[in-house]
């Protein structure tokens, strides 16, 4: 369980630095938006392109991915329906909430956690792939549908396909499927750009917590409570049930998918919310609270299932 706390400590330090930067204002009033755009348009696409291109299709399309995908899609749909039908939120705000309830922090927490606990990052890379090519387009399509001025269906499709995160993932998947290895003159600068992804997202999140210039209003507490409960309790419980009783997975696979599902909401959601200017407060609060709650939840899961 020490590995769990080590992984959380790493991201906590970087978020703390971001909070100090936001509090002091040393990077200016638009630092959070600039960092989010750097992550969205440069760092994350490069990271996903490389991580997917270095995997095989057999490693990507596996039983843990199937269980995780079914879990995420179910939770996404339930959370979206709750926000629209029960909480009476608009589609775009509901999309951010549904993402926060189902989109796991596979990159800046899942990767180090998988390395420490499972000794491999292959499975978590597959989850990143699924989230980017399935969950992200679903949410982006909803966000684009409420964009002003309203885009035509054709323009929405073009916007989806030219989204840098989706485009980077598509290139990585093609490279994985064809077995083409990129030459070092290409991969070396890509790795440098990919190294921007995690720190920029975490710094931007830290800035959002304490920035004097960009103080966000408080999110609806009921909405945040619903999202956090779904993310940290309902989602891992569903993943466990599907793996154990639905697919008869091995003990190691059950542990893996349950831990992945118990990961907190991804900091990427803050980037999406900031870029599209939708439900930013909920994205911030759900990410922060789910991270705090997920620490004891993941530690308990590892202690109970990993023995």
């Amino acid at each position: 369980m020490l590995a769990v706390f080590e992984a959380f400590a790493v991201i906590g330090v970087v978020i703390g630095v971001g909070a100090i930067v936001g509090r002091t204002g040393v990077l200016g009033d638009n630092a959070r938006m600039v960092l989010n755009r750097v992550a969205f348009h440069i760092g994350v696409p490069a990271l996903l392109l490389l991580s997917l291109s270095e995997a095989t299709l057999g490693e990507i399309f596996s039983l843990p991915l199937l269980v995780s995908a079914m879990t995420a899609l179910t939770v996404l749909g339930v959370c979206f329906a709750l926000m629209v039908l029960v909480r009476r939120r608009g589609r775009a705000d509901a999309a951010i909430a549904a993402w926060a309830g189902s989109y796991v922090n596979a990159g800046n927490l899942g990767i180090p956690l998988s390395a420490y606990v499972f000794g491999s990052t292959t499975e978590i890379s597959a989850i990143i792939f699924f989230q980017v090519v399935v969950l992200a387009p679903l949410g982006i399509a909803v966000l684009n549908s409420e964009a002003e001025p309203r885009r035509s269906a054709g323009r929405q499709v073009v916007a989806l396909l030219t989204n840098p995160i989706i485009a980077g993932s598509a290139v990585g998947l093609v490279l994985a499927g064809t077995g083409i290895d990129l030459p070092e003159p290409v991969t070396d600068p890509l790795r440098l750009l990919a190294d921007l992804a995690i720190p920029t997202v975490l710094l931007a999140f830290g800035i959002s917590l304490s920035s004097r210039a960009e103080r966000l209003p408080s999110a609806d507490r009921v909405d945040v409570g619903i999202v956090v409960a779904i993310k940290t309790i309902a989602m891992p419980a569903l993943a466990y049930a599907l793996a154990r009783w639905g697919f008869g997975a091995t003990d190691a696979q059950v542990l893996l998918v349950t831990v992945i599902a118990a990961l907190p909401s991804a900091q990427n959601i803050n980037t999406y919310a900031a870029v599209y200017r939708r439900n930013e407060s909920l994205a911030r609060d759900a990410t922060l609270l789910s991270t705090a709650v997920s620490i004891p939840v993941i530690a308990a899961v590892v202690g109970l299932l990993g023995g």
Side-chain angles (χ1 to χ4, degrees):
M1 286 188 287
L2 180 61
V4 175
F5 295 108
E6 288 178 349
F8 277 99
V10 170
I11 69 168
V13 169
V14 182
I15 291 174
V17 171
I20 295 172
V21 168
R23 184 66 178 173
T24 58
V26 295
L27 295 184
D29 294 343
N30 296 321
R32 184 175 68 92
M33 178 58 69
V34 172
L35 288 171
N36 274 319
R37 289 188 178 278
V38 169
F40 185 84
H41 293 283
I42 301 174
V44 175
L47 175 63
L48 294 173
L49 190 156
L50 286 175
S51 63
L52 291 174
S53 67
E54 293 171 351
T56 65
L57 292 182
E59 293 171 333
I60 295 173
F61 299 102
S62 60
L63 178 59
L65 174 61
L66 175 61
V67 174
S68 297
M70 291 181 63
T71 301
L73 287 172
T74 301
V75 171
L76 180 79
V78 170
C79 195
F80 184 84
L82 282 173
M83 289 296 148
V84 173
L85 301 177
V86 178
R87 300 295 295 162
R88 302 297 182 182
R89 305 305 180 202
R91 293 195 311 274
D93 287 344
I96 296 295
W99 260 341
S102 60
Y103 204 119
V104 304
N105 190 336
N108 46 21
L109 181 58
I111 287 177
L113 190 65
S114 294
Y116 289 137
V117 177
F118 302 109
S120 170
T121 60
T122 300
E123 292 81 3
I124 203 68
S125 294
I127 302 303
I128 293 173
F129 156 74
F130 164 75
Q131 292 188 151
V132 170
V133 302
V134 178
L135 292 190
L138 287 174
I140 290 171
V142 175
L143 291 171
N144 285 337
S145 72
E146 288 202 346
E148 294 294 343
R150 185 71 175 272
R151 297 177 179 177
S152 65
R155 289 187 176 181
Q156 289 186 42
V157 172
V158 171
L160 197 62
L161 295 177
T162 56
N163 178 284
I165 292 178
I166 296 174
S169 299
V171 173
L173 182 60
V174 170
L175 293 173
T178 58
I180 296 175
D181 294 324
L182 294 174
E184 287 188 4
V186 176
T187 58
D188 287 348
L190 278 175
R191 291 190 193 284
L192 286 175
L193 295 175
D195 288 341
L196 291 170
I198 294 175
T200 51
V201 169
L202 293 177
L203 287 171
F205 179 60
I207 290 173
S208 74
L209 298 178
S210 63
S211 174
R212 294 175 178 175
E214 293 193 74
R215 180 74 64 182
L216 296 175
S218 298
D220 186 286
R221 292 182 179 180
V222 175
D223 288 357
V224 173
I226 291 172
V227 169
V228 172
I230 288 174
K231 180 70 216 64
T232 59
I233 299 174
M235 188 168 178
L238 177 59
Y240 175 86
L242 285 175
R244 175 69 73 192
W245 299 303
F247 292 92
T250 65
D251 291 342
Q253 290 173 328
V254 171
L255 173 62
L256 175 66
V257 298
T258 306
V259 167
I260 289 174
L263 288 169
S265 303
Q267 268 86 23
N268 290 354
I269 306 306
N270 290 278
T271 300
Y272 288 126
V275 170
Y276 284 93
R277 295 289 185 181
R278 291 288 189 170
N279 224 353
E280 295 178 69
S281 298
L282 182 138
R284 175 203 61 196
D285 293 350
T287 301
L288 179 63
L289 290 176
S290 66
T291 299
V293 174
S294 68
I295 296 175
V297 171
I298 292 176
V301 169
V302 173
L304 292 172
L305 302 181

